[in-house]
Amino acid sequence: MVHNKKEFTGGSVLLVIFFIVLFAMFQPIFDGHNAMAYLDNLYNSISKGSAYYVDDLREEAKSVAGYQINAKIRMENESQAADSAALITKAGGMAEASGRDLTVSGDYAGILSASLDDADTMYHNDGAALKAKYPNYENRDDRQILYDWNTMLAGFDKALKEQYAFEQAKVAVNINAKVVETAYNYYKVTPENIKDKMGIVIFSLLFYVFYTMWYGFAILFVFEGWGLKISGH
């Protein structure tokens, strides 16, 4: 039995409108996407736009100028070792693959600069240009080159630490974490500046708060109108 028809009716109407809006939000009316997918893409674009560290890491790479690396890296498989040797050779270094083992030597700063160049290309979603640079990757996933750089940089970190070259190892870690992994994870996402999307960002945050409260009050009015109340006695 309804205790307060006015309150119960008001809450029911709010719930009905809430679910109508929810249904509309799941329709592909935002550039072919539903509201959740559109906002997910938007926030991914904004986060990518604020995660560009290539220029900073180029400066950091200069701190190891003149250093000659000589390291043996254990790759995931023989194919990756052979492909990665081509990346090092293109960067001006020397590399020899033997099974899963990859021996790398040469100008460390030059090799790091090559990894930054490739990551920068992929950050700007130009996988075709990278495949043109490395023909042996033509039939691979666009991100395979970055994946191989990721494995090598992690290998540099381990090998250099074993040689007590901690400062040189740190540069590889930073490039890997801030540039290579970022370019890999955000590939094909178009970077956006939050200043250019400030209106929709503020609206989406305010709407989220309002929509959540809307549902809460609707449930409250329905239950109170129905006669259900929390009592301490």
Side-chain angles (χ1 to χ4, degrees):
M1 181 176 179
V2 176
H3 177 71
N4 186 323
K5 290 185 179 180
K6 182 178 180 181
E7 197 168 23
F8 181 83
T9 301
S12 299
V13 170
L14 287 176
L15 273 180
V16 170
I17 297 174
F18 174 90
F19 284 109
I20 290 174
V21 173
L22 184 64
F23 176 79
M25 289 169 60
F26 276 97
Q27 303 310 303
I29 57 178
F30 299 92
D31 294 334
H33 302 283
N34 63 42
M36 271 59 70
Y38 174 79
L39 289 175
D40 185 57
N41 292 335
L42 173 64
Y43 282 104
N44 278 338
S45 297
I46 291 172
S47 62
K48 180 177 181 177
S50 63
Y52 185 78
Y53 300 107
V54 174
D55 294 336
D56 293 340
L57 269 299
R58 287 193 193 282
E59 289 299 314
E60 188 170 335
K62 292 178 182 179
S63 67
V64 296
Y67 183 81
Q68 296 295 307
I69 189 172
N70 193 333
K72 179 179 285 188
I73 305 168
R74 187 74 165 170
M75 306 300 285
E76 294 183 356
N77 51 60
E78 294 184 10
S79 177
Q80 188 188 39
D83 288 337
S84 298
L87 299 181
I88 298 298
T89 302
K90 190 75 172 180
M94 297 179 64
E96 181 179 349
S98 177
R100 289 175 56 193
D101 292 327
L102 179 67
T103 302
V104 177
S105 61
D107 178 36
Y108 186 46
I111 294 171
L112 294 180
S113 179
S115 72
L116 286 167
D117 289 342
D118 291 349
D120 192 34
T121 299
M122 288 293 280
Y123 179 92
H124 291 94
N125 302 320
D126 198 354
L130 213 53
K131 284 187 174 181
K133 181 179 178 180
Y134 303 107
N136 56 309
Y137 284 88
E138 183 178 0
N139 297 319
R140 306 291 185 85
D141 183 275
D142 287 358
R143 298 186 295 177
Q144 185 63 46
I145 294 169
L146 289 187
Y147 187 82
D148 291 348
W149 273 122
N150 175 269
T151 304
M152 283 193 289
L153 290 169
F156 290 163
D157 173 45
K158 181 179 179 181
L160 291 171
K161 283 178 178 175
E162 291 174 350
Q163 299 171 17
Y164 301 101
F166 298 109
E167 290 300 318
Q168 289 79 5
K170 181 180 178 182
V171 179
V173 170
N174 289 342
I175 289 175
N176 215 6
K178 296 182 178 181
V179 177
V180 174
E181 291 180 6
T182 297
Y184 182 95
N185 293 331
Y186 283 112
Y187 182 54
K188 291 189 176 180
V189 174
T190 302
E192 297 276 6
N193 190 316
I194 190 171
K195 294 180 181 178
D196 299 330
K197 298 293 183 178
M198 189 62 72
I200 186 64
V201 168
I202 292 175
F203 173 79
S204 65
L205 294 175
L206 291 177
F207 179 79
Y208 173 77
V209 174
F210 174 75
Y211 197 57
T212 302
M213 293 177 63
W214 182 351
Y215 180 74
F217 277 107
I219 293 295
L220 174 66
F221 292 153
V222 168
F223 283 176
E224 284 192 346
W226 197 4
L228 297 177
K229 295 185 178 181
I230 297 176
S231 174
H233 302 286

